[in-house]
Amino acid sequence: MKVRTRFSPSPTGMIHLGNARTALFSNLFAAKHQGTFILRIEDTDVTRSEIQYVESLQLDLQWLGVHWQEGPGVDGEYGPYWQSQRQDIYDRYYNILEREKYSYPCFCSDQELNLARKLQLSRGQAPRYLGTCKKLSAAEIETRLAEGRKPAWRFSVPAHQTVEFVDTVKGLQQFRTEDIGDFIVRRADGTAPFLFCNAIDDAMMEVSHVLRGEDHLANTPRQILLLKTLGLAIPHYGHLSLIVGDDGAPLSKRHGSFSVQEMRAKGYLPIAVINYLTRLGHACDSQHLLPFEELARHFQLEKLSKSPARFDLTQLMFWQKIAVQALDITELWRWLGEHIENQVPENLRQLFAETIRANIEFPQDAAMWARNFFHENVYIDTAEAEIIREAGEQFFVEAELAVDKFGMDLAAILAEMKQTLGVQGKKLFMPLRVALTGKMHGPELVQIVKLLGAKKMKHRLSNAFKLVA
């Protein structure tokens, strides 16, 4: 089978982690089978669709390394890839449905529909259209049209049938048509709603596999009925479990969820994000940091979880740290940016990068260390100041004398202080680290000494002495 997958976002907002994972999984599956991944813009909702979101979603996908073989900017034989440009295709199938009596006009107002929905819910019934307008005679329809009322069009769902399909994630699925209700296939303004155009485009573009969120599961039997009626090919559907927070609720800002654009701006590395997402609700055989091509090789539909995928910021940061460690020096400085690079003396840039690499997660962390090492003074907080005071005046007198004697030879400095002060271990290292950096944790002291130099070390040790005196 020729594998063709798609990602079909509505440009009504920024792409978040859930959207990104759906796009990534579809892309990985296509790549694994040397297939085609399509980006299709579902912009039929003209009141909410905005071109800025189309541009941002393309930037987000490209940044992640999710590249489409057909779609905006990449012409193919199944275009156009903007639904707003495919109305003539939809009209052709509308005419078939109307001519063959598979659809009918519905004049029900939003108020009438909402009232019916409330009544059904109050009776413990699943809300569905009751077929009010299906009973209208030709004369009644003509009267309403003559009054200037513009109908939507509903698909006439056949009675007493079962729609059955094998979901590539969740297994066998069965739906009774009595529970579905006639659904709208054409809005009153003539445009196509999601249920209709989404299914038609999948068939027209010969999409073989549809991977999407499980919130679309109830749409699938409707689309299967529609495609069967029109004699169009039905893709294999797979519905991904939703991403939830620690409390089991759908992922939101309060769980740490943010848009891909925000992640990019903060300094997340795309390889870290796709390695995390590939393992979010998917059992990957490898636990190494892998490029896209290797992730595709390990991707298997059979290993997608049926249970909700629990978002774990700690795991995301695990991959971020590994990705930072994997950057070569050129990539590292490109990621850190000119603003940070310009703060570091050229002759110390290699040493600075090697020193801080294990202690940073984002460029802002590197900016903090750049300020720490290359500004004259450091800020010492209350807890750190207490460590300075506990060490006492003599500690810093001996430290300065040792620097005078041994310069930047840390081993010799420590040996001298150990002998003159009679301290070792944490009582030796911690006050020295805090005096030099203002921090209790950070890079190795030997690297810190090289970056600061003897003159700046003595200056900071002198300032520490003043805190005690």
Side-chain angles (χ1 to χ4, degrees):
M1 174 190 287
K2 180 173 65 173
V3 171
R4 289 173 60 81
T5 66
R6 52 78 167 171
F7 177 56
S8 53
S10 298
T12 57
M14 299 296 181
I15 291 183
H16 284 68
L17 283 180
N19 312 119
R21 186 183 65 148
T22 299
L24 176 64
F25 283 6
S26 295
N27 197 190
L28 290 172
F29 183 71
K32 180 183 179 72
H33 296 280
Q34 294 79 51
T36 301
F37 173 64
I38 305 162
L39 175 61
R40 188 173 72 221
I41 308 300
E42 302 205 337
D43 59 341
T44 56
D45 188 345
V46 294
T47 61
R48 298 177 61 218
S49 297
E50 295 185 31
I51 190 64
Q52 70 184 66
Y53 295 130
V54 177
E55 294 168 352
S56 67
L57 72 86
Q58 290 183 72
L59 286 174
D60 288 343
L61 293 177
Q62 290 165 349
W63 175 76
L64 283 169
V66 173
H67 300 295
W68 51 99
Q69 289 74 57
E70 294 179 25
V74 187
D75 290 335
E77 59 181 299
Y78 299 92
Y81 297 95
W82 302 66
Q83 285 187 337
S84 58
Q85 300 173 12
R86 298 174 63 83
Q87 189 63 43
D88 58 332
I89 297 172
Y90 309 143
D91 288 341
R92 185 162 73 245
Y93 287 100
Y94 285 144
N95 291 335
I96 294 173
L97 291 176
E98 185 178 351
R99 184 178 67 243
E100 301 298 327
K101 307 298 183 185
Y102 292 125
S103 66
Y104 60 89
C106 176
F107 298 91
C108 294
S109 67
D110 289 342
Q111 184 178 6
E112 291 169 328
L113 294 172
N114 287 335
L115 179 59
R117 178 184 177 85
K118 288 179 181 177
L119 284 173
Q120 288 174 312
L121 290 172
S122 69
R123 295 167 182 166
Q125 300 170 341
R128 64 182 182 85
Y129 185 63
L130 296 174
T132 306
C133 291
K134 195 173 189 175
K135 307 164 190 173
L136 294 177
S137 65
E140 289 172 320
I141 292 173
E142 285 301 321
T143 298
R144 285 164 173 73
L145 292 173
E147 292 171 351
R149 297 172 66 178
K150 293 184 178 180
W153 285 77
R154 290 184 180 272
F155 179 76
S156 182
V157 175
H160 311 302
Q161 291 188 19
T162 298
V163 181
E164 184 176 292
F165 67 96
V166 177
D167 190 293
T168 57
V169 178
K170 297 183 176 299
L172 180 64
Q173 302 293 309
Q174 295 177 317
F175 296 83
R176 295 169 59 247
T177 54
E178 281 74 20
D179 298 328
I180 293 176
D182 298 346
F183 53 90
I184 292 175
V185 291
R186 189 175 194 174
R187 299 189 186 102
D189 63 3
T191 59
F194 163 81
L195 270 173
F196 184 81
C197 57
N198 181 271
I200 296 297
D201 286 344
D202 284 344
M204 292 294 94
M205 295 181 181
E206 297 186 10
V207 171
S208 64
H209 293 77
V210 170
L211 294 178
R212 58 188 182 186
E214 67 180 7
D215 51 329
H216 286 291
L217 183 58
N219 294 326
T220 302
R222 293 168 170 81
Q223 293 183 316
I224 289 174
L225 285 170
L226 184 62
L227 293 173
K228 276 185 176 180
T229 299
L230 291 169
L232 298 175
I234 299 169
H236 297 282
Y237 291 99
H239 293 87
L240 307 175
S241 297
L242 299 183
I243 304 175
V244 299
D246 290 335
D247 56 1
L251 194 65
S252 65
K253 278 267 188 183
R254 63 192 173 88
H255 296 110
S257 170
F258 25 70
S259 69
V260 174
Q261 184 182 76
E262 289 172 322
M263 297 178 77
R264 186 170 77 242
K266 185 169 183 179
Y268 278 95
L269 289 164
I271 193 170
V273 178
I274 65 172
N275 269 266
Y276 173 64
L277 290 178
T278 301
R279 296 167 174 87
L280 188 57
H282 173 255
C284 184
D285 291 337
S286 172
Q287 293 308 309
H288 298 293
L289 185 75
L290 302 175
F292 177 90
E293 295 74 19
E294 283 298 301
L295 289 173
R297 190 170 68 82
H298 287 278
F299 185 78
Q300 299 181 59
L301 291 180
E302 298 79 11
K303 295 199 172 182
L304 289 169
S305 174
K306 297 180 176 66
S307 303
R310 196 170 293 273
F311 175 74
D312 186 340
L313 184 58
T314 303
Q315 277 297 303
L316 175 57
M317 294 314 304
F318 168 81
W319 291 108
Q320 174 73 359
K321 290 174 184 176
I322 289 179
V324 171
Q325 294 298 307
L327 293 173
D328 64 33
I329 291 297
T330 301
E331 293 169 333
L332 181 67
W333 278 113
R334 188 183 302 120
W335 174 62
L336 294 179
E338 289 184 6
H339 174 69
I340 297 173
E341 187 174 14
N342 292 338
Q343 296 181 55
V344 182
E346 190 171 350
N347 64 318
L348 293 176
R349 285 174 186 167
Q350 178 88 10
L351 177 61
F352 174 76
E354 292 171 353
T355 298
I356 67 166
R357 182 194 289 272
N359 293 274
I360 61 173
E361 296 171 345
F362 299 107
Q364 66 189 37
D365 303 324
M368 181 274 292
W369 286 115
R371 290 191 301 272
N372 189 294
F373 293 136
F374 303 112
H375 288 206
E376 194 64 23
N377 298 312
V378 291
Y379 173 72
I380 299 179
D381 209 345
T382 305
E384 285 78 8
E386 185 60 30
I387 292 172
I388 297 289
R389 282 189 284 271
E390 286 178 1
E393 294 179 7
Q394 195 60 33
F395 182 96
F396 299 103
V397 170
E398 296 298 335
E400 279 198 70
L401 290 172
V403 173
D404 275 335
K405 187 175 181 179
F406 299 107
M408 293 186 296
D409 186 343
L410 181 64
I413 291 170
L414 293 174
E416 179 82 357
M417 292 178 68
K418 182 178 179 181
Q419 181 178 352
T420 57
L421 294 169
V423 295
Q424 60 183 340
K426 190 175 181 180
K427 288 188 177 181
L428 175 60
F429 290 101
M430 188 60 74
L432 194 59
R433 173 182 289 280
V434 170
L436 296 179
T437 68
K439 308 287 182 185
M440 287 189 278
H441 306 285
E444 295 293 327
L445 263 177
V446 64
Q447 301 292 88
I448 292 171
V449 167
K450 291 177 184 177
L451 283 169
L452 291 177
K455 182 179 178 181
K456 191 174 287 186
M457 286 172 64
K458 286 188 63 179
H459 175 74
R460 294 187 177 185
L461 290 168
S462 176
N463 285 344
F465 173 85
K466 293 172 186 176
L467 278 178
V468 184

